[in-house]
Every structure is written in structure tokens, then in C-alpha cells.
Amino acid sequence: MNALHLKDLSASAQEAIAAARETVAGLHAELPRNDLVAWTAGNVSARVELADHEEVGPDGLSAVFVIKPSGVSYDELNASNMVVCTLDGVKIDDDTSIGLSPSSDTAAHAYVYRHMSHVGGVVHTHSSYATSWAARGESIPCVLTMMADEFGGDIPIGPFALIGDDSIGRGIVQTLQASRSKAVLMDRHGPFTIGADAKEAVKAAVLCEEVARTVHFARAYGNPERIAQHQIDALYARYQNVYGQKDNT
Ligand SMILES: O=C(CO)[C@@H](O)[C@@H](O)COP(=O)(O)O
């Protein structure tokens, strides 16, 4: 654990972290609700930018992230047991019990936050259909308009990597920096998704599993054709910029 204590931070930083803990705790309920996890096999995190560069710690602190504790069942998760980590993946003294360890994927989430500054949320699941594509090491071809809308093309495969250091995070970043996709299927492991915030990353995880299932069945009974690239680009532009309720004020 880092010697840094939550109470060493400014009031505004503590308020932002408290809000993120509530949000991330609530979003974890979406994983079982959308059938994305068996047991505890999934996690959500959110970056918290600290508005004023906090003059704490050896070289200051500009952001932290909040992530679930490892192996705790979803119905026991709440804001008070969401773990707060530095972007190096080190738990700060965050008022959770000293023995409460952050998710086993903390290093991967931290690596993404350090190397993709636009990412505000990260999700990892082992959702069945997406993970079956990962088990084959096969990217999901963009044969659905929903894939063009949300992922801007195919959902790519990332390299096989063992948990425990920066390997998974490095594979996620290398793959997603070469794609518009918000999802990557880590080879023989499962999906990781990103978003501007944690809710967007959860949405990407839900839609990743949805299209993985649909394309699985389409391929079982036919040979679906990939959408032409210029049409993928048009669909992606519309969905990302027009779809839904924009702030028209
Ligand atoms: O697959 C693994 C561990 O091998 C993890 O992604 C999964 O079990 C979730 O772990 P956490 O409960 O977040 O530590």
C-alpha cells in the first residue's frame, strides 16, 4: 500500500473520489445484470482526475482510479469497499481495510490509464460469447451495423499475456491504439473495454457480448459479409456524433 492517505488530499479531490466510488460500485451491478460474468470474474474501474495537482506524495498526484476489491461478490460491493489506487496501480490508504486487495487486473487497468489519457473507464469480463472468440484467437468481423456504430469496425484480438505484470495492459494498449474499437479480445483470456467514463466502458462490454453472440449464430448458419469500409465509417460517424440526446442547449 502507498503511504499516501485519502485524507491528505484536498476536499475537492476527496469529493470526486467519493462520487467515483458510488458510480463504480453501482456499475458493477450491470455485469451480472447483463450476464457478463460468472461468479466474480469481472471488474470495472474509473479514473479520477484531481483538478488541482495535489501536492502530496513524492512527486505530486494528478489522478487516481477506483476499482473493485478482488474476489468480492457483486452483491457485497458498495462505495465503501471500492479501492483507490494511484496510476501505478498501488492502493492508497483509502479507509478500506488494510487487507482489502484491489482487483487482480489492477495492473492492466493502471497501464491503460497511464498510456491512454482519453480513457476514463476500463472494464474486464469473461463474457461467454466474446471469450469464445478470444479462445479461438479470432477477431469479430464487422458484419453488423451495431458493430460499425459502437466499435467502428472489427473487434480486434490482443496478444496472449499472463496476469501479474504490465503484459496484459501493454497488449490492450498496443491493440486499441491501432483501432477505433472500444473493445479488445485478449487472446485465450477475454474482453477488455474502454470508455471516456466507466459507464461508457460498461456499455462497450455489454455491446461487445451482444455482437459476439449475434455474429456467432450468423456464422453458424451462414457466411455473413463484412460491411464496406466507407459504410462502416459513415455509420460510426453518425452514431458517435448524432445518436441519442446531444446537449442541444
Ligand atoms: O480472470 C481473472 C483472474 O485470473 C480475473 O479477471 C477475474 O477473476 C476477476 O478478478 P478480480 O475479482 O477482479 O480480482
Side-chain angles (χ1 to χ4, degrees):
M1 177 185 297
N2 191 304
L4 181 64
H5 195 285
L6 195 57
K7 291 185 174 54
D8 296 333
L9 301 179
S10 64
S12 63
Q14 292 185 49
E15 282 167 26
I17 291 169
R21 283 173 126 167
E22 290 288 350
T23 300
V24 172
L27 285 171
H28 274 93
E30 293 300 315
L31 303 186
R33 194 170 77 84
N34 286 279
D35 291 331
L36 300 183
V37 289
W39 201 241
T40 62
N43 39 69
V44 180
S45 72
R47 179 201 301 263
V48 185
E49 290 291 353
L50 304 180
D52 313 316
H53 191 95
E54 300 287 317
E55 298 308 324
V56 290
D59 37 1
L61 197 66
S62 60
V64 295
F65 69 97
V66 171
I67 194 166
K68 81 164 208 194
S70 182
V72 177
S73 66
Y74 296 104
D75 53 9
E76 293 173 23
L77 294 179
N78 56 64
S80 66
N81 60 22
M82 289 296 113
V83 178
V84 184
C85 296
T86 66
L87 295 197
D88 291 323
V90 178
K91 175 180 176 180
I92 74 169
D93 187 351
D94 60 5
D95 294 338
T96 62
S97 75
I98 193 164
L100 196 67
S101 301
S103 166
S104 37
D105 295 297
T106 295
H109 289 238
Y111 191 96
V112 172
Y113 288 129
R114 292 199 304 275
H115 294 84
M116 302 183 88
S117 58
H118 63 287
V119 172
V122 179
V123 172
H124 171 47
T125 78
H126 295 250
S127 59
S128 301
Y129 284 93
T131 303
S132 70
W133 288 85
R136 295 196 303 274
E138 184 177 359
S139 60
I140 306 176
C142 188
V143 297
L144 298 170
T145 56
M146 178 186 270
M147 291 191 67
D149 288 347
E150 175 70 9
F151 302 104
D154 301 355
I155 296 179
I157 283 285
F160 180 75
L162 291 179
I163 196 167
D165 57 20
D166 281 345
S167 304
I168 293 176
R170 191 175 301 113
I172 294 166
V173 169
Q174 284 170 351
T175 307
L176 291 182
Q177 284 181 334
S179 163
R180 285 187 298 207
S181 178
K182 294 189 184 88
V184 53
L185 308 176
M186 293 302 282
D187 182 16
R188 287 164 287 173
H189 183 176
F192 281 80
T193 61
I194 60 173
D197 58 23
K199 185 176 180 182
E200 193 175 280
V202 169
K203 174 188 173 187
V206 171
L207 295 187
C208 176
E209 178 64 4
E210 174 62 21
V211 301
R213 177 171 45 239
T214 305
V215 182
H216 167 85
F217 287 113
R219 286 270 288 271
Y221 299 99
N223 187 21
E225 187 180 340
R226 194 176 185 280
I227 298 170
Q229 190 57 51
H230 72 280
Q231 293 169 326
I232 291 173
D233 294 343
L235 287 161
Y236 183 68
R238 186 201 75 86
Y239 189 76
Q240 298 300 319
N241 301 305
V242 176
Y243 174 79
Q245 302 303 318
K246 298 302 176 198
D247 179 6
N248 298 322
T249 49

